[in-house]
Amino acid sequence: MQVFSFSLFWTIVIDIAAWTFFHLAISALCLRLPLATFQNEAFWSRIYPWEKSGALWDQLFRVKAWKGRLIDGASLFRSGYQKKTLHGTGKEDLQTFAEETERAELTHWLSILPAPLFFLWNPPMVGWLMIVYAVVFNLPFIITQRYNRGRIKKMLS
């Protein structure tokens, strides 16, 4: 339900500013979480047998063909962990990489949550478009993290 009304120009400016704020704030908050937070294999981040160690994601979405084109958000933050390539092939390196994919996945799940707030200052149709944007923008990153983590977990087992 639209509570605030602005001109088209200001609505677009507010939408862009709000998404920028939400993406950066959620990313910064998730970066502050200790890595130990991601060692418990929570239900949302666990790789399930039906995912075939990540292979399912490549079968359904051809992840290998496009994952290299995604921007690694870690490059926006000094303390971010780059996930474009492995940092090593030792067990500890692989475990850290897997945990960082959990952090990235959580970041993208949480980045979808603010979408309903856009109904406060946008007409209903635009509010729904914001929800579609949030899902369409974040889903490739979520899929890629699950794909990579599945492969890493297979290497670790």
Side-chain angles (χ1 to χ4, degrees):
M1 174 173 138
Q2 188 173 352
V3 176
F4 305 104
S5 183
F6 303 103
S7 69
L8 178 62
F9 172 79
W10 284 111
T11 301
I12 292 170
V13 168
I14 292 167
D15 287 344
I16 292 169
W19 275 124
T20 302
F21 169 77
F22 289 132
H23 287 304
L24 292 176
I26 290 168
S27 296
L29 287 172
C30 287
L31 269 174
R32 290 181 168 268
L33 294 172
L35 201 54
T37 304
F38 305 101
Q39 294 173 349
N40 62 1
E41 296 220 359
F43 76 93
W44 60 268
S45 65
R46 187 176 303 130
I47 300 299
Y48 293 94
W50 53 266
E51 292 180 84
K52 303 175 190 169
S53 299
L56 173 76
W57 303 112
D58 194 47
Q59 290 170 351
L60 292 176
F61 300 107
R62 296 177 26 98
V63 176
K64 278 191 258 185
W66 51 262
K67 74 177 189 132
R69 294 187 193 117
L70 294 178
I71 297 167
D72 188 348
S75 61
L76 299 174
F77 298 91
R78 195 174 330 137
S79 62
Y81 182 92
Q82 302 284 324
K83 291 171 293 306
K84 284 283 186 184
T85 59
L86 287 175
H87 295 237
T89 56
K91 185 175 181 174
E92 190 174 309
D93 297 318
L94 296 174
Q95 188 62 41
T96 300
F97 191 93
E99 291 162 1
E100 289 293 347
T101 65
E102 286 187 49
R103 181 192 312 272
E105 183 180 347
L106 176 63
T107 300
H108 287 284
W109 279 117
L110 293 176
S111 293
I112 295 172
L113 296 181
L117 295 175
F118 286 77
F119 282 99
L120 293 174
W121 63 87
N122 283 288
M125 180 60 103
V126 177
W128 285 109
L129 285 173
M130 293 298 159
I131 289 175
V132 169
Y133 159 76
V135 172
V136 168
F137 178 81
N138 287 289
L139 210 51
F141 293 95
I142 292 167
I143 290 168
T144 300
Q145 300 314 318
R146 298 198 68 78
Y147 168 75
N148 286 335
R149 190 165 59 259
R151 294 172 56 220
I152 296 296
K153 293 286 186 178
K154 185 177 182 179
M155 291 169 64
L156 284 168
S157 63

